[in-house]
Amino acid sequence: MRTGSRRRHDPGPAAEALRLVKVRKTYGNDDSAVTALDGITLSLGRGTFTAVMGPSGSGKSTLLQCAAGLDRPDSGIVRVDGTELTGGGEAELTRFRRGRVGFVFQQYNLLETLTVAQNTVLPLKLAGRRIDRRRAEDVLASVGLGDRLGHRPDQLSGGQRQRVAIARALVTDPRVIFADEPTGALDTRSAREVLRLLREAVRVHGRTVVMVTHDPVAASYADAVLFLADGRLAGRMEAPTPDAVAERLAHLGDEAERRAQLGDDLTAGV
Ligand code: ADP
Ligand code: MG
């Protein structure tokens, strides 16, 4: 049911969760250099759920790493929740990352020797914040793992591990959550649970989620999809449906092929 009271505010700078301006990132040097991001400019509003899609190697993970402050772009500006990440020192960046962003990886990245509760509060510990047992219990209950606090990761299914990873990403109350193929290793049912949790983080708790995925169904949980090809933005789709996303993806492949073909033709003429 629509209440009619949820008006969208003007997307002024204050409503911006993430802004990238002309972000470039190259790996390697000179003859072996690979341009992973080739001048990305984008803006995402607070309280939005965005999927990032594109062929393998198109720069999706690099985009997330640079946006989350896990990696530094060669040039350009990254601003999260109004704070510029680029330009500051390493300590400052680490402090910011620990306090304001959450990250969920495809392979969970849990520490096997720690319990579920200990894994969950690890970001608080690293940030030197008070470890609130109650907070861990609450956040684990919210992902359906309130009865697994003392378990170790190897006693959990893949879907449960990923839910611990989501709890860990939520525990610091981050403004933005970045997820890189969070459902990539999961069965359909566990994937759906993880996607529902991410959507709930946005809808109920007003967080901003940016999620890389290969799966058109996963992308359809988002408000919008950004398409990436060769390190550049190649389009945006609002209110994505699985069919529309799949069609656009196939088309993206066509375009890349056409460009490669054109390149071949040009060099053949030289
Ligand atoms: P995606 O996540 O879309 O598959 P990535 O962001 O992982 O793409 O990679 C983009 C490009 O950058 C690829 O060509 C990849 O090989 C290259 N790349 C990514 N990380 C590194 C790295 N650490 N060292 C060298 N090249 C890298
Ligand atoms: Mg990747």
Side-chain angles (χ1 to χ4, degrees), residues 253-264:
D254 291 349
E255 276 168 25
E257 208 164 295
R258 245 196 325 273
R259 254 201 312 272
Q261 192 97 48
L262 191 64
D264 286 348

Side-chain angles (χ1 to χ4, degrees), residues 27-28 34-36 54-63 180-181 212 228:
Y27 291 108
V34 173
T35 301
S56 186
S58 58
K60 304 180 296 297
S61 292
T62 306
L63 175 67
D180 196 347
E181 303 198 35
V212 168
L228 221 58

Side-chain angles (χ1 to χ4, degrees), residues 9-265:
H9 295 282
D10 279 348
E16 207 170 46
L18 178 68
R19 182 170 185 77
L20 270 61
V21 183
K22 295 182 182 169
V23 168
R24 287 181 56 86
K25 176 78 184 177
T26 301
Y27 291 108
N29 38 36
D30 301 339
D31 34 338
S32 65
V34 173
T35 301
L37 297 178
D38 194 8
I40 301 272
T41 296
L42 60 82
S43 167
L44 301 180
R46 277 192 195 156
T48 59
F49 187 175
T50 305
V52 178
M53 304 189 87
S56 186
S58 58
K60 304 180 296 297
S61 292
T62 306
L63 175 67
L64 243 59
Q65 306 258 340
C66 286
L70 289 168
D71 204 348
R72 279 176 187 277
D74 299 331
S75 60
I77 294 169
V78 175
R79 209 188 299 144
V80 177
D81 197 42
T83 301
E84 190 176 332
L85 299 196
T86 33
E90 203 60 49
E92 211 177 319
L93 185 64
T94 303
R95 197 164 50 240
F96 180 88
R97 198 175 56 224
R98 287 180 177 158
R100 307 264 204 105
V101 305
F103 215 102
V104 180
F105 303 89
Q106 178 173 354
Q107 292 304 334
Y108 329 123
N109 290 16
L110 301 177
L111 296 180
E112 299 293 327
T113 55
L114 299 185
T115 64
V116 164
Q118 288 166 337
N119 267 288
T120 302
V121 299
L122 196 57
L124 295 176
K125 202 167 182 176
L126 290 172
R129 282 158 69 172
R130 200 168 68 87
I131 301 214
D132 190 339
R133 175 97 190 159
R134 189 62 185 279
R135 171 91 188 116
E137 286 170 11
D138 287 351
V139 72
L140 281 165
S142 77
V143 300
L145 293 174
D147 55 351
R148 294 286 197 280
L149 270 67
H151 284 59
R152 310 247 170 213
D154 67 3
Q155 298 174 299
L156 303 178
S157 70
Q160 290 171 330
R161 286 176 189 223
Q162 196 60 304
R163 284 188 276 144
V164 176
I166 290 176
R168 182 183 56 188
L170 291 172
V171 78
T172 58
D173 251 332
R175 298 308 186 98
V176 187
I177 296 164
F178 297 95
D180 196 347
E181 303 198 35
T183 61
L186 303 181
D187 60 86
T188 310
R189 201 173 126 247
S190 304
R192 222 161 29 216
E193 281 168 6
V194 162
L195 291 164
R196 279 201 212 103
L197 286 172
L198 291 174
R199 190 162 63 184
E200 192 179 295
V202 175
R203 296 280 184 274
V204 181
H205 304 287
R207 299 186 212 278
T208 305
V209 172
V210 187
M211 170 184 75
V212 168
T213 182
H214 275 118
D215 177 7
V217 174
S220 73
Y221 280 72
D223 303 312
V225 180
L226 293 178
F227 294 95
L228 221 58
D230 297 330
R232 294 183 195 171
L233 282 182
R236 184 185 163 96
M237 182 185 287
E238 303 294 330
T241 64
D243 286 349
V245 169
E247 198 185 317
R248 178 73 72 89
L249 277 180
H251 190 63
L252 263 188
D254 291 349
E255 276 168 25
E257 208 164 295
R258 245 196 325 273
R259 254 201 312 272
Q261 192 97 48
L262 191 64
D264 286 348
D265 290 350

